[in-house]
Amino acid sequence: MGKKRFVDLLKNKGYQVKMKKLTGGFVNKVYLVTAIKGGEVFEYVVKKYQSKAEMKDMLQGYNLISALVKTPKIIYKNESNKEVVYDFVKGISLKKLIESGHPKTLVAVVKLSKALQDLHAGHKYRPKYDQYNSPDEKKLIKHAKIARNKGLVNKEFITKLQKQIKEYIPNNKVVIHGDAHLGNFIYTEDGELYIIDTDNVRISDLNSDIGRITVQLSK
């Protein structure tokens, strides 16, 4: 496959190429690439990873999620360049849809519910970690302590949180999105819902997704 960038391959085929950096991509750089040739216009999303390990982890998650729900198709990947290219899905994020009061908001939220149901029902795995010691539990405690240091919560809250975590362990773990904020769900003009940004897909507790979505919908 070599070290040629995707945009260079397009240029070599005679396409006029334009690149625009997209918002988001706090860790990895994300670009919208527009390729024009013979009056035809094609759009792609190019994501550049910081390491091959991160790219490999994403591809493993992508293989899990793409078999269960609609997500943009990967059309090109180059491990040497740590570059992955997706078809661009035209639509509006659920975040913007809800904020705008769009008449299709309720329809889109119902589709979101169905997509999450399909995702979480796809596979079930027995937890492989000891109780009170899962990666998600550790992460939750870590962020709670950061919030405490910032004065957002008190010691009593941390103690209560730790107690609740120790009393809970899921019977099964499933495929989750892992970054289920409303900006990562795209509602298209033809009424389809796509899940984007699969960098954090993993096997974990479905409440990680449900909790985040519920908080955002309740705002």
Side-chain angles (χ1 to χ4, degrees):
M1 194 175 291
K3 292 188 177 181
K4 281 203 170 184
R5 299 183 307 158
F6 178 69
V7 293
D8 292 330
L9 295 176
L10 290 174
K11 290 176 181 178
N12 290 342
K13 291 182 179 180
Y15 287 92
Q16 179 186 353
V17 178
K18 298 179 181 179
M19 289 185 69
K20 176 185 177 182
K21 190 171 183 180
L22 296 177
T23 57
F26 296 109
V27 176
N28 304 301
K29 295 179 180 179
V30 186
Y31 300 89
L32 174 64
V33 172
T34 303
I36 306 169
K37 182 180 179 182
E40 292 187 292
V41 179
F42 304 92
E43 291 180 303
Y44 309 96
V45 172
V46 177
K47 182 171 284 190
K48 298 181 179 293
Y49 289 85
Q50 292 191 333
S51 71
K52 292 181 180 179
E54 287 178 332
M55 179 175 165
K56 181 180 179 181
D57 287 344
M58 184 284 299
L59 291 172
Q60 289 177 340
Y62 177 86
N63 289 335
L64 288 172
I65 198 171
S66 62
L68 301 170
V69 295
K70 287 184 172 65
T71 191
K73 183 179 179 182
I74 290 178
I75 63 165
Y76 176 81
K77 54 189 176 184
N78 189 321
E79 186 176 340
S80 297
N81 288 339
K82 302 182 288 292
E83 180 180 72
V84 178
V85 182
Y86 304 83
D87 271 333
F88 177 66
V89 175
K90 292 183 179 180
I92 181 173
S93 72
L94 257 63
K95 183 177 186 297
K96 291 182 178 179
L97 195 78
I98 293 170
E99 290 174 347
S100 68
H102 195 283
K104 290 289 185 179
T105 295
L106 181 57
V107 174
V109 171
V110 171
K111 285 185 176 290
L112 168 62
S113 175
K114 179 62 167 59
L116 290 176
Q117 183 181 29
D118 290 343
L119 175 62
H120 298 153
H123 302 284
K124 295 187 184 299
Y125 305 83
R126 294 296 299 172
K128 295 182 180 180
Y129 54 81
D130 295 329
Q131 193 170 5
Y132 326 144
N133 195 36
S134 77
D136 290 324
E137 290 168 340
K138 290 179 178 179
K139 185 176 181 181
L140 181 59
I141 290 296
K142 176 183 176 182
H143 284 289
K145 288 180 177 178
I146 291 174
R148 179 191 171 189
N149 291 338
K150 291 183 177 180
L152 301 176
V153 297
N154 56 31
K155 182 179 179 180
E156 288 70 27
F157 175 85
I158 300 293
T159 301
K160 183 179 179 181
L161 178 63
Q162 288 176 320
K163 182 175 184 294
Q164 289 175 332
I165 288 174
K166 289 182 179 181
E167 291 174 347
Y168 172 78
I169 185 170
N171 292 324
N172 294 292
K173 298 173 74 178
V174 299
V175 179
I176 69 167
H177 182 273
D179 189 20
H181 64 76
L182 294 175
N184 278 336
F185 300 91
I186 304 297
Y187 186 71
T188 65
E189 291 181 356
D190 57 355
E192 297 290 349
L193 187 83
Y194 280 79
I195 297 178
I196 65 171
D197 193 357
T198 59
D199 289 359
N200 293 291
V201 171
R202 60 187 183 274
I203 307 299
S204 191
D205 181 8
L206 62 86
N207 287 301
S208 178
D209 280 349
I210 299 300
R212 186 163 188 179
I213 287 295
T214 301
V215 169
Q216 291 182 69
L217 289 176
S218 64
K219 288 182 178 180

